[in-house]
Amino acid sequence: MDKNCFVSWSGGKDSCLALFRAMSQGYKPKMLFTMFSIENDVSSAHRLNEDIIKAQVNELELESTIGRAKFEDYEAVFVRNLESFKSQDIQYGIFGDIDLDEHRKWEETVCEKAQMTAVLPLWQEDRKKLVKEFIDLGFKARIVVVNKTMMSPEFLGRDLSHELLEEIEKTGADVCGENGEYHTVVYDGPLFKTPLNLNFSKEVKDIEGKWAKIEVLI
């Protein structure tokens, strides 16, 4: 039986590792799906512009879909896109969540509404081991957003490495960022044809007093 799937694609490390794992388990990715905010026209959470997502998709040699929604319409827009995928013989949705039950329940719910099955390849595995696996596989990712209540903006612009994980852990933050401490952009690795040539701003921008980010351009 075909295991055609879409991947909920943030542009960061967890969705990338979930894609890698899903492919190794026989799933066939047909679509990378990214949600954008209508208000500010960047991707949800990771705050990447569309050019970055398109560049990743090109290097991964896959198709992509961008869903745009206001906060209150997010789920409805998400489900409409899943229904479209279902009509294209896509049966499964791949998600990169690790152990947050609320997230898993939401993903299962939206997939059920579109008569699809949610698959979480990283589910309930050790957070630190997962990010170490990501690094050891040869993926490259840089921190582009931090939650200032959990991590210092000094971590912005730094590539994930075993040494950096130790620094993050010493601050008391989760090394995987699963609680929303930080978000990354992936720019190279075993699934990429060639590395993305990204430009990272040195200017740190404040977002609503809680978040800090650096701009990523291509």
Side-chain angles (χ1 to χ4, degrees):
M1 189 176 80
D2 288 339
K3 297 174 75 174
N4 295 337
C5 67
F6 78 88
V7 179
S8 181
W9 181 257
S10 67
K13 61 177 177 52
D14 294 337
S15 62
C16 186
L17 184 58
L19 168 62
F20 182 89
R21 286 274 194 94
M23 291 174 68
S24 70
Q25 294 167 12
Y27 290 93
K28 299 176 181 178
K30 300 296 183 181
M31 187 70 63
L32 300 185
F33 178 39
T34 308
M35 287 295 290
F36 270 60
S37 164
I38 283 179
E39 289 87 350
N40 51 32
D41 201 33
V42 293
S43 64
S44 303
H46 291 62
R47 298 179 181 270
L48 301 172
N49 64 46
E50 191 171 347
D51 287 345
I52 303 302
I53 299 296
K54 286 182 175 179
Q56 290 177 321
V57 170
N58 181 61
E59 293 302 332
L60 293 166
E61 299 184 285
L62 293 169
E63 300 294 323
S64 70
T65 293
I66 301 293
R68 290 182 168 82
K70 295 180 180 179
F71 178 79
E72 60 269 24
D73 300 324
Y74 188 98
E75 182 170 320
V77 172
F78 201 98
V79 172
R80 282 202 299 272
N81 278 276
L82 266 55
E83 290 171 340
S84 173
F85 301 157
K86 175 72 175 181
S87 71
Q88 300 170 54
D89 197 32
I90 293 175
Q91 308 290 336
Y92 300 91
I94 307 298
F95 299 87
D97 283 290
I98 300 170
D99 55 24
L100 299 179
D101 283 321
E102 183 180 353
H103 289 192
R104 177 171 190 145
K105 289 175 182 175
W106 185 86
E107 290 153 1
E108 289 175 341
T109 296
V110 293
C111 282
E112 285 172 5
K113 288 182 178 181
Q115 297 182 308
M116 302 172 76
T117 301
V119 178
L120 287 76
L122 315 182
W123 188 248
Q124 290 190 329
E125 294 196 33
D126 182 86
R127 294 178 177 185
K128 189 173 183 178
K129 286 182 180 178
L130 284 171
V131 69
K132 283 186 171 183
E133 176 185 337
F134 176 85
I135 294 167
D136 289 340
L137 284 167
F139 286 107
K140 304 292 184 184
R142 188 165 295 187
I143 295 176
V144 292
V145 177
V146 298
N147 183 326
K148 294 189 294 184
T149 69
M150 299 178 175
M151 278 180 63
S152 168
E154 292 177 359
F155 286 97
L156 287 168
R158 298 185 63 184
D159 276 14
L160 291 184
S161 65
H162 292 298
E163 294 76 19
L164 183 61
L165 298 188
E166 296 303 320
E167 288 185 46
I168 292 172
E169 196 167 37
K170 286 178 182 177
T171 71
D174 177 59
V175 293
C176 197
E178 179 70 356
N179 304 313
E181 288 92 339
Y182 69 89
H183 298 296
T184 59
V185 59
V186 181
Y187 64 89
D188 194 15
L191 298 178
F192 286 68
K193 284 188 304 179
T194 59
L196 271 67
N197 184 21
L198 300 181
N199 296 303
F200 297 90
S201 169
K202 296 186 182 300
E203 179 186 359
V204 175
K205 292 189 175 182
D206 180 82
I207 307 168
E208 300 169 0
K210 181 180 180 181
W211 302 87
K213 66 171 283 188
I214 55 173
E215 293 289 350
V216 186
L217 302 171
I218 194 164

